[in-house]
């Protein structure tokens, strides 16, 4: 093919790529342009314009370099078109070099000043594309190619799992440097622990992102817990103030956020270790006990078993239940609820008088649970998984479906208005004349 034909081909690719993000083009035209570009990519890699020496493996990036900026266009939401593109993500070579091109494009976008609307579209489209990436877990899985299949004996990057992970890591790290919008931020944190961290070449590179997210507060902090838990337990991340910040996340709003089940599940995992100091466990138990006074009934269904589980793991903290002298109510409670440091809140000197108060709760299920705090500790912990999913509707449904044979209204039927003092009240307050 002559140079003139090559130039015409490149111009055609550029025009088709522009149609992919053209506001005035109908969806069918965009999809046809995308499919045509992918056929061009396949043909170009099967029959490259430039033959490398010794016929070694190469991947032609011409189409990808034109397609990626338009596929994650900052001018529109490309969710529908990206859904059409997903079928091509099964090709290992395409996926790897797509991530490489994406990294380069995002690096350029990070230096530019764009509007909030454009940033929102860019973040949303990029995350949608990254969510479609399914990474191989072994080198044996790398066997499907849109271009020429490389010789297994060749020392090429596309056959190396570490190179795939390196491209994946660079793309994600560059994406996380953008000023993510709140909805995108939350979506990232939801998938980070199981769909990103296991496939990164060095997961500890996410430490800065996760710790800064953890410090933001609110729902962002709750969602960052999962990723931090993975880094702490599997990659030996040291975070000295982790439990202090976790302690301060327990606020009244925690019972009403969307991700409360995930939060309590992770907190339960964090407090599983029997090597944690007693003062720390006592602080969490007391904090939850105080918050239980304003918690809804469905929350108390798992808060009380949560506290009991803490005592099962740490019997030394059961002094908070059995203390009978000194601390009996709020007026004499030495616990400092406003103290942010669990080591200084004086929880070990307190008791769980709040749970005793819940023994008179209007909901009999809560009252019954509260009474269990004074019973001998169970040998096994209570399974919280099902309880964490309870909501107010579930509690109401459970109560309305109960079958009651008879409802006692009076222990002794009344035959007078004032009982034994009928005559006295009648003569003192009423004059019948």
């Amino acid at each position: 093919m002559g140079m003139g034909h090559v130039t015409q081909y490149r111009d055609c690719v550029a025009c088709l790529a522009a149609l992919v993000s053209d506001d005035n083009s109908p969806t069918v035209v965009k999809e046809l342009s995308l499919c045509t570009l992918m056929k061009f990519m396949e043909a170009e890699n099967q029959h490259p314009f430039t033959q490398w020496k010794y016929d070694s493996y190469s991947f032609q990036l011409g189409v990808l370099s034109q397609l990626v900026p338009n596929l994650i266009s900052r001018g529109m939401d490309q969710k529908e078109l990206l859904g059409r593109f997903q079928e091509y993500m099964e090709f290992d070579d395409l996926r790897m070099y797509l991530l490489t091109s994406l990294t380069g494009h995002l690096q350029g976008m990070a230096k530019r000043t764009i509007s909030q609307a454009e940033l929102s579209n860019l973040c949303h489209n990029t995350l949608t594309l990254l969510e479609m990436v399914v990474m191989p877990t072994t080198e044996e899985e790398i066997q499907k190619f849109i271009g020429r299949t490389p010789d297994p004996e060749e020392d090429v990057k596309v056959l190396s799992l570490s190179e795939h992970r390196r491209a994946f890591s660079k793309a994600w790290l560059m994406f996380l440097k953008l000023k993510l919008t709140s909805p995108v931020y939350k979506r990232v944190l939801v998938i980070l622990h199981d769909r990103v961290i296991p496939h990164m070449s060095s997961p500890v590179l996410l430490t800065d992102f996760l710790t800064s997210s953890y410090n933001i507060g609110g729902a962002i902090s709750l969602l960052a817990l999962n990723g931090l838990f993975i880094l702490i337990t599997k990659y030996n991340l040291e975070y000295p103030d982790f439990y202090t910040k976790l302690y301060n996340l327990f606020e009244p709003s925690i019972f009403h956020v969307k991700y409360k089940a995930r939060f309590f599940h992770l907190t339960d995992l964090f407090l599983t270790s029997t090597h944690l100091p007693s003062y720390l466990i006592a602080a969490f138990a007391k904090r939850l006990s105080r918050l239980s006074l304003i918690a809804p009934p469905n929350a108390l269904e798992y808060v009380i078993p949560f506290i009991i589980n803490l005592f099962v793991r740490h019997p030394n903290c059961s002094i908070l239940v059995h203390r009978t002298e000194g601390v009996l109510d709020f007026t004499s409670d030495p616990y400092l609820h406003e103290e942010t440091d669990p080591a200084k809140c004086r929880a070990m000197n307190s008791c769980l008088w709040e749970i005793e108060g819940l023994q008179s709760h209007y909901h009999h299920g809560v009252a019954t649970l509260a009474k269990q705090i004074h019973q001998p500790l169970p040998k096994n912990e209570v399974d919280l998984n099902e309880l964490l999913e309870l909501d107010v509707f579930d509690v109401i449904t459970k109560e309305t479906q109960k079958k009651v044979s008879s409802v006692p209204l009076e222990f002794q039927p009344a035959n007078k208005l004032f009982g034994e003092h009928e005559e006295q009240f009648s003569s003192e307050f009423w004059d019948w004349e």
Side-chain angles (χ1 to χ4, degrees), residues 354-374:
E354 299 92 344
I355 304 299
E356 291 191 12
L358 293 178
Q359 294 176 7
S360 301
H361 198 276
Y362 67 87
H363 187 274
H364 69 90
V366 172
T368 302
L369 281 174
K371 292 176 182 177
Q372 293 180 5
I373 203 76
H374 289 292

Side-chain angles (χ1 to χ4, degrees), residues 56-58 97 150-151 153-160 163:
S56 61
Y57 175 84
S58 65
Y97 290 105
D151 188 338
E153 300 299 325
E154 289 185 87
D155 184 18
V156 293
K157 293 182 177 181
V158 75
L159 293 177
S160 171
E163 291 295 335

Side-chain angles (χ1 to χ4, degrees), residues 8 34-35 48 56 77 86-87 170 214 228 235 248 374 420 425:
Q8 291 177 353
L34 175 63
C35 293
S56 61
D77 185 353
Q86 187 171 6
E87 65 182 80
K170 288 182 177 180
Y214 192 43
L228 278 176
Y235 300 97
N248 287 285
H374 289 292
E420 298 178 356
F425 276 96

Side-chain angles (χ1 to χ4, degrees), residues 8 16 45 77 92 117 130 194 254 268 330 369:
Q8 291 177 353
L16 288 172
N45 278 282
D77 185 353
D92 296 301
L130 288 172
D194 62 342
I254 197 65
D268 187 52
F330 179 78
L369 281 174

Side-chain angles (χ1 to χ4, degrees), residues 242-361:
F242 176 79
Y243 284 100
T244 299
K245 293 178 180 178
L246 178 63
Y247 175 77
N248 287 285
L249 288 178
F250 281 89
E251 298 177 346
S253 60
I254 197 65
F255 301 115
H256 308 285
V257 296
K258 180 179 180 181
Y259 306 102
K260 62 179 181 295
R262 178 193 292 253
F263 172 71
F264 274 93
H265 172 70
L266 289 173
T267 303
D268 187 52
L269 289 178
F270 289 137
L271 300 177
T272 300
S273 174
T274 57
H275 299 289
L276 294 174
S278 296
Y279 77 83
L280 183 65
I281 300 300
F284 277 95
K286 182 61 181 179
R287 184 84 164 192
L288 274 172
S289 178
R290 183 62 60 87
L291 291 176
S292 67
L293 296 176
I294 54 175
N298 62 297
L300 293 173
E301 296 262 0
Y302 56 78
V303 167
I304 297 175
F306 189 100
I307 295 174
I308 293 176
N309 283 351
L310 293 180
F311 293 152
V312 172
R313 300 168 193 158
H314 302 267
N316 291 339
C317 294
S318 59
I319 185 64
L320 273 70
V321 177
H322 302 297
R323 178 174 282 121
T324 57
E325 297 180 357
V327 185
L328 298 177
D329 55 24
F330 179 78
T331 58
S332 57
D333 194 346
Y335 172 67
L336 303 176
H337 182 71
E338 301 299 328
E339 176 58 56
T340 59
D341 188 349
K344 300 178 181 179
C345 67
R346 300 171 63 185
M348 282 298 289
N349 299 326
S350 181
C351 75
L352 304 188
W353 58 265
E354 299 92 344
I355 304 299
E356 291 191 12
L358 293 178
Q359 294 176 7
S360 301
H361 198 276

Side-chain angles (χ1 to χ4, degrees), residues 140-174:
E140 287 73 19
E141 296 179 12
I142 305 174
Q143 54 184 356
K144 194 166 186 178
F145 306 94
I146 196 172
R148 182 175 69 84
T149 301
D151 188 338
E153 300 299 325
E154 289 185 87
D155 184 18
V156 293
K157 293 182 177 181
V158 75
L159 293 177
S160 171
L161 179 62
S162 61
E163 291 295 335
H164 282 263
R165 289 187 171 181
R166 185 174 290 109
F168 180 79
S169 300
K170 288 182 177 180
W172 267 102
L173 291 173
M174 185 55 63

Side-chain angles (χ1 to χ4, degrees), residues 62-299:
V63 175
L64 272 181
S65 62
Q66 295 282 346
L67 178 61
V68 168
N70 292 281
L71 203 56
I72 58 169
S73 170
R74 65 181 189 272
M76 65 181 68
D77 185 353
Q78 294 279 58
K79 182 178 181 180
E80 186 175 354
L81 192 64
L82 286 168
R84 182 69 176 84
F85 180 73
Q86 187 171 6
E87 65 182 80
Y88 299 102
M89 295 294 284
E90 63 182 3
F91 295 105
D92 296 301
D93 52 352
L94 168 63
R95 181 182 58 248
M96 175 178 165
Y97 290 105
L98 172 75
L99 291 171
T100 303
S101 297
L102 178 63
T103 303
H105 177 65
L106 292 178
Q107 190 172 8
M109 293 303 301
K111 300 176 182 178
R112 300 180 60 178
T113 302
I114 59 178
S115 66
Q116 187 63 32
E118 290 178 329
L119 178 63
S120 177
N121 284 329
L122 176 65
C123 292
H124 176 76
N125 291 333
T126 304
L127 180 57
T128 301
L129 180 61
L130 288 172
E131 285 177 326
M132 296 189 304
V133 174
V134 179
M135 289 290 291
T137 55
T138 62
E139 291 190 348
E140 287 73 19
E141 296 179 12
I142 305 174
Q143 54 184 356
K144 194 166 186 178
F145 306 94
I146 196 172
R148 182 175 69 84
T149 301
D151 188 338
E153 300 299 325
E154 289 185 87
D155 184 18
V156 293
K157 293 182 177 181
V158 75
L159 293 177
S160 171
L161 179 62
S162 61
E163 291 295 335
H164 282 263
R165 289 187 171 181
R166 185 174 290 109
F168 180 79
S169 300
K170 288 182 177 180
W172 267 102
L173 291 173
M174 185 55 63
F175 171 63
L176 295 179
K177 290 181 180 180
L178 299 177
K179 295 181 180 179
L180 305 181
T181 59
S182 181
V184 171
Y185 208 135
K186 293 177 182 178
R187 281 173 57 193
V188 168
L189 291 173
V190 166
I191 67 172
L192 207 61
H193 70 286
D194 62 342
R195 296 177 59 182
V196 180
I197 290 179
H199 303 294
M200 294 194 69
S201 56
S202 180
V204 292
L205 293 175
L206 291 171
T207 300
D208 291 341
F209 173 76
L210 286 171
T211 52
S212 61
S213 301
Y214 192 43
N215 294 332
I216 290 176
I220 299 295
S221 293
L222 304 187
L223 294 174
L225 276 175
N226 234 343
L228 278 176
F229 174 73
I230 299 296
L231 294 186
I232 291 173
T233 56
K234 293 186 178 181
Y235 300 97
N236 301 319
L237 173 67
E238 294 185 4
Y239 195 162
D241 296 330
F242 176 79
Y243 284 100
T244 299
K245 293 178 180 178
L246 178 63
Y247 175 77
N248 287 285
L249 288 178
F250 281 89
E251 298 177 346
S253 60
I254 197 65
F255 301 115
H256 308 285
V257 296
K258 180 179 180 181
Y259 306 102
K260 62 179 181 295
R262 178 193 292 253
F263 172 71
F264 274 93
H265 172 70
L266 289 173
T267 303
D268 187 52
L269 289 178
F270 289 137
L271 300 177
T272 300
S273 174
T274 57
H275 299 289
L276 294 174
S278 296
Y279 77 83
L280 183 65
I281 300 300
F284 277 95
K286 182 61 181 179
R287 184 84 164 192
L288 274 172
S289 178
R290 183 62 60 87
L291 291 176
S292 67
L293 296 176
I294 54 175
N298 62 297

